[in-house]
Amino acid sequence: MEILLAIVVGCLVATGLYMMMRRSMLKLAIGLSLLSHGANLLIFTAGGLTRGQPPLIPQGETLPPAPYADPLPQALILTAIVISFGLLAFTIALIYRACHVTGTDDLDQLTTTET
Amino acid sequence: MDLLVAVLAPLAVAPLMPLVRRFAGRHVGDVAAAIPLAIAVYFARYVGTLGDGQSVAFRRAWVPEIGLSLSLRLDGLSLLFVLLISGIGALVCVYAGGYLAGNRRLGSFFGSLLAFMTAMLGIVLAENLLTLYVFWEFTTLTSFLLISFEHERQAARAAAMQALLTTAAGGLCLLAGVILLGLIGGSFEITELIERGDAVRAHRLYPAAVILILLGAFTKSAQFPFHYWLPNAMAAPTPVSAYLHSATMVKAGVYLLARLSPLLGGTDLWTVTVTGVGAVTMVVGTVLAFTSYDMKGILAYLTINVLGTLTMLIGLGTELAAEAAMIYLLAHALYKGALFLVTGAVDHAAHSRDLRELSGLRHRMPLTALIAALAALSMAGVVPFFGFLAKESYLHAVVEAPRMWPLLTFAAVVASVLVVAGAGLVAVAPFFGTLSEKADRAHEAGFRLWFVPALLAVAGLAAGLLPQTLAAPLVEPAVAAIVGEPVPLELKLWHGVTLPLVLSVIALAAGVALYVSHERVRSVFDGTRVLGGWGPAAWYDKGVTLLDVVAHWQTGFLQSGFLRTYVTVILAMTAGLAGLMITHFGLTFVERETIGVRWHEGIAAGLIVAAAFVAVRSTSRMRAVVALTIVGFGVSWIFVLFGGPDLAMTQIVVETLTTLLFVFAFYRLPKFSILSDRATRFRDAVLASSVGIVMTLLILLATGVDQYEPTSEYYVRSSVTEAHGRNIVNVILVDFRALDTLGEITVLSAAAVGVFVMVRLVAPKGGRS
Amino acid sequence: MKSLILQTAARYLLPLLALYSVLLFLQGHHDPGGGFVGGLIAAASLMLCALAYGVPVARDVLPIQPRNLIGIGLLSAAAAGSVGTLQGKPFLTSAWVKLQLPGFGELELGTPLLFDAGVFLAVLGVTVSILMTLAEEEEEE
Amino acid sequence: MPLILPILIPFLTAALALLGWRSLRLQRWLGVVGAFALLAAGIGLLISVQNEGIRTAQIGNWPAPYGITLVADHFAALLVLLVGIVGSAIAVYSLADIDEPQQSFAYYPLLHVLLMGVTAAFLAGDIFNLYVWFEVLLIASFVLLALGGERPQIEGAIKYVTLNLISSFLFLTAVGILYGAVGTLNMADVARKLQTLDNPDIVTTLAVMFLVAFGIKAAIFPLYFWLPASYHTPPAAVSAVFAALLTKVGIYSLIRMFTLVFDHAEAPPTFPLILVLAGLTMLTGVLGAIVQDDFRRVLSFNAICGVGYMMLGLGMHTPLALTGSIFYMTHSAVVTAVLFLIAGNAHLVRGTFRLDRLGGLAREAPWLAVAFAIAGLSLAGIPPLSGFVAKLILVRAGLEAGEHLAVAIAIAAGLLTLYSIARVWDAAFWKEPPAHEVPIERIGGEHEPGPLLPREKFLLGAPVATLVVLVVIIGLAAGPIFSLADAAANELMNPAGYIEAVLGGAS
């Protein structure tokens, strides 16, 4: 399963980056989204997979029933998910604004300030 | 401490000069002159006390750990230069007050001039090589300001830039050389280094240090082939030319060579290079003088000649040569200063410096003509002027040179002939002959404009008549400082009939003859423009142009403005470096027990991949977004399967909201279209895949390591007992690692503000609101 | 957009979702849930309301400006952290009190809960602010 | 003094200012007072580090390596102080520079979120925590960059956002892999565990990942594209704070990671690699600078060149070289900020940043000319200003280490920097302004050129004057700052001290 998920991560990263190299701003945003899925899944997989028990401790116990999933990668991913949601929201607003100002979705048109 | 005060005094006063101008009005130059005059008087009391190699020192740590300290030392050599700088400085201030009278930037002019004076004093008093460099660069900058004083003129700005780049490049070479020297010798203090001279000269890096230091000295002193900037620097106001480009700054290189010759001199490398470059410069300077019709230009070339001569003498390294160098230095300062200032007076009066437009000026400016004649006689080396003594002593040194003497003597005589003729060009040609149109309108310039050159010219005569009284006390300690031991000096005009005297007389006669026929031989000299016009000067221009072209090309190439190029380069760098590391170090996958794949897990994984590819391939925006949502749900399914209910929940909600965002954006944005060609898409796909593969490999590597207990075990153990919570993930978020969460909600808040700003803030069109 | 079905559904779902979000937040320390999910779901319920009745109505449902919600959220999180600092311990050191509630049993209250509440408010404020901003823009055009 | 203060102060400032959204007056007051409070905290922190050595704080009172650790050694404390200095100057400058509509759109809260992210990144002792702070400063910088929403800004922002998000992605994945491999996030703990790792292959590749991720933030060759694409687009105050601080975070992280974490016997050949990249960064940066015709783009490319110098010290990896890097960071933060502020002043006077349309500023704004001369010469490494000492240390370190080529490049880059500065001087200050009417370029958030009120003159001039004085002081009183940088470099070269301070004797 680790190998399978590692490949899935590779695919998500590859497709995300490919989308970011396109000229459409919208594809850029989609690429970003794919990329963050890839990163989340990467942390999840690299942190060690455990099938089954979530890291919850039953009432009255002090330890969760084994085997339990490593809680730390989950916390990291939760943070990462929320952060990337914020960044994505801003990016989309930025793209919205960019289309408004420049009248195009083509990134290659955005070179006026560098020439 | 006194030394430091003396060095910094001009700089300290410099910022006040605009204010002084407001109050002193026409006398601003005279007020400014008070400072160098005070310095000259202060240092004059050391005359006669430093003959035996004594010195006065001051030292203050700056960054001692890297050898940077502000240390100054006054010895005979320094003293000679200090008196030149301050003495001529005072005169130039007075002169400039008259020359530039009425100029509205006179205040800042004197500010720059005084700042320059500090820089020069610093160079010649520096004991620490890094301190010397500090002041060295400061002369470069202040001279930049002074050359481009008339900065409305493009030519002045270009000349200033040329001088800046050339001398700053040399300065940086000097810095590198100096640091090397310091590292070799274990100190940056000149006296300490001289004590360790043998070890320094034997060091492996000695040649590198010498070459770098020489580059610095040669550029500053306008030695061939770096001489091109000096004539162009004549764009400066004439007092500046007289001061910087004749009497002081260009001599800084000569000073440095003299100062370091006990340390670096004596080796073949040093002697051959310094003597050779000096000799070539000596000849080139005089030859080029005849390609110019501008009086200032001619003087500039003749100054190059003198700088070459001085360099050559120092390179020789004999006691005689050191003597000659110091005598010549003094003589030159007096007569060349006077001639420059005379030129300024002519320019001021006749509004021209062009020999083709000027003749017969003596009818309108008799006084000036007399002064010019006095100075020129000294320059030509006529008895009883001080210049005669100088010429004789340097011919003497050359004749007695330990090696190459025939060659050097020949060069020296040729140069002398040309100098004599050159003296005629600037002192005879404009003043004699029939009155030209421009000259006719001229009149004697104001008091300051003739009085100051007159002082210098008369001083040249006086020093020649009474050399032992007036010149020896200055020259003797300086020579002692170069040679390293007291040298008794006997200066007199008549040594009997010696070879140098014969050569001197021959040079004089030939020079007069050449001057008489100079109109006819000019065409011969014009052929030598190669050396001045499109020779090394053109290298500079070509160099700058080439630099611009290269810079334009590389910047346009790298910073193309296309985002996807940037992304491509970054990914290529990532994949390339990672690939390099992987191929270089290999990969070791540790066999570890892995979890098998159940069928529904396989489906989840397949779904994610399939949906991701649909999102890429889709030509419909809506389909792409739906596919993206499916990827998100697929990922949360994986989270559920492997024990992450919190994750899954959050992921699903976020995914839903994200979809909403996308849908919103899609209402406004244009449809997808394929904008790139097939080859680009292929290249991008390869690049993206290789980064993907790197990620896959990294995960497999990481999961193979099972060496340490993860820190999360602590969280599991303490979650209930210490943190009072049973949902460990949540406890981590709000307690164990709450600081992360604090940062995270900050990100979210800023993002919310950002969205609001992007959508709402409409910049007011024109006009301040 | 304003369909009757949606409005009816929203009328019932809104309080339910709001309640659920609070529940998620409260149980978060012990069971799946927490400030994040709670805040997100609360925001989602408001969005549902906005979809059904329009943004102005949804704005009225929330008695407070989303921006202020964000500020309050951030400040409560910081306040929760500062309790420790004021006691001379490092920032974010937790402090707990046990309350005996008659008929309810023992209730543990600690600064992490206050912190989580801050997260809840901030996430709610942020999400509502983002979505409302975009949705209002939608309506204006 | 609690270590959290330099983080908490800007956080509270931002939160309160956000609550005071409706009152511009309140926001402005908070913005300025908060910045000066941060400055005070920075001073306090540096003093306490000087007295007590490396300071740590276990956030939440959870023991290291389990809880998040904040660490302040000399390096971090010095940089935090710089944030305070630059932040205060910018906060004051912004009062007059940023247009009121922009100010009311949460300019000050965002500025403080940015400052918070930067200081926290310097203090973070936990690698994931560092990631979070990166995101904090990133999102704030995104919004500040785009604040105003004009076309050049949007164009710059899109490139900036995209490339920085790629950097964040690489950083995040590297953290994930790191945790997967060694099971810890505490940097000191990671360092310790990597030394005993059985499978060192992963370290080399991870090092490369961090190099690229931080390299993008630090703007090293060939990863710096986002910087010249965007730094010339926002209001001058924003470019100034970006240029002064943001790349420093990347450089800081590179130095921290490569001296602490990736610094063991089997270290991958990353130091030579960094050296090569540093050389190329200096060269390409400065070559870019000499062909630009926009005041701020000249400065942007020079900022890249400066990054090269700072990387040079890391690449040579000797105590003196690192001292040079740290000294250079100190110098660069101040001088870069003030140069951008000067460019902003020039824009306010003449309504353009374009060199061919500028001119005559030496006459019209003589004090600005003096300020530019001092700051520009310092940038070019002319003695006795701050840049000279910084470059001198690096050159000496390079010659001691026998890296002659690198030294040659550093010196050549110094000359070209001087050339680029002289070009600006020539075009903006000395040349006569073009005769025809210059079209006014509005940059988001900046007001029209024209006569300034005395109050505005003060608010715009005082920060410039203060920073210029600092440039001179850093040069003239280089001794004490050298000692600080030296102490910092020694701590970096002996990571055992850092690890000991964080983890104690525990194994």
Side-chain angles (χ1 to χ4, degrees), chain B residues 325-607:
Chain B
M326 291 305 109
I327 296 172
Y328 199 18
L329 181 87
L330 192 57
H332 173 252
L334 297 176
Y335 71 69
K336 194 59 73 56
L339 284 175
F340 262 113
L341 298 182
V342 163
T343 306
V346 169
D347 196 8
H348 203 264
H351 301 289
S352 171
R353 305 186 308 241
D354 193 321
L355 290 181
R356 286 164 300 193
E357 296 176 344
L358 296 173
S359 65
L361 265 175
R362 75 192 154 91
H363 300 295
R364 294 286 174 267
M365 307 176 73
L367 204 53
T368 309
L370 177 66
I371 299 162
L374 287 178
L377 286 173
S378 185
M379 172 164 151
V382 175
V383 195
F385 290 90
F386 195 48
F388 167 76
L389 240 150
K391 179 172 284 180
E392 208 189 35
S393 61
Y394 98 71
L395 286 171
H396 190 193
V398 170
V399 171
E400 307 256 315
R403 56 161 81 175
M404 302 185 288
W405 75 267
L407 200 64
L408 294 178
T409 308
F410 178 70
V413 172
V414 169
S416 298
V417 172
L418 290 166
V419 168
V420 172
L425 280 187
V426 288
V428 180
F431 294 101
F432 291 84
T434 52
L435 200 59
S436 69
E437 186 193 340
K438 287 244 176 188
D440 193 27
R441 269 178 275 150
H443 51 87
E444 199 67 77
F447 169 73
R448 289 184 182 82
L449 296 197
W450 64 259
F451 178 71
V452 173
L455 267 183
L456 287 168
V458 170
L461 180 60
L465 290 172
L466 298 168
Q468 197 60 23
T469 326
L470 294 176
L474 292 176
V475 174
E476 206 175 77
V479 176
I482 299 175
V483 177
E485 57 188 8
V487 179
L489 202 63
E490 204 187 332
L491 298 181
K492 54 185 183 184
L493 287 171
W494 185 249
H495 287 279
V497 181
T498 54
L499 181 57
L501 180 68
V502 173
L503 292 176
S504 188
V505 172
I506 292 173
L508 197 59
V512 171
L514 180 62
Y515 169 70
V516 172
S517 56
H518 79 268
E519 294 293 350
R520 267 161 283 162
V521 293
R522 217 174 230 287
S523 58
V524 179
F525 288 105
D526 281 347
T528 60
R529 271 179 199 279
V530 179
L531 296 162
W534 50 266
W539 303 343
Y540 167 83
D541 289 338
K542 287 206 182 93
V544 171
T545 315
L546 183 71
L547 186 67
D548 265 15
V549 169
V550 169
H552 263 292
W553 173 81
Q554 79 106 28
T555 309
F557 177 72
L558 288 174
Q559 200 71 33
S560 62
F562 295 118
L563 176 61
R564 62 203 160 84
T565 322
Y566 303 163
V567 177
T568 310
V569 173
I570 288 175
L571 294 187
M573 170 100 175
T574 316
L577 282 181
L580 195 73
M581 291 297 167
I582 289 172
T583 48
H584 195 262
F585 291 93
L587 284 180
T588 328
F589 291 102
V590 182
E591 280 295 321
R592 258 195 81 202
E593 198 183 333
T594 53
I595 305 172
V597 182
R598 292 187 187 161
W599 64 269
H600 56 278
E601 294 165 359
I603 289 178
L607 188 67

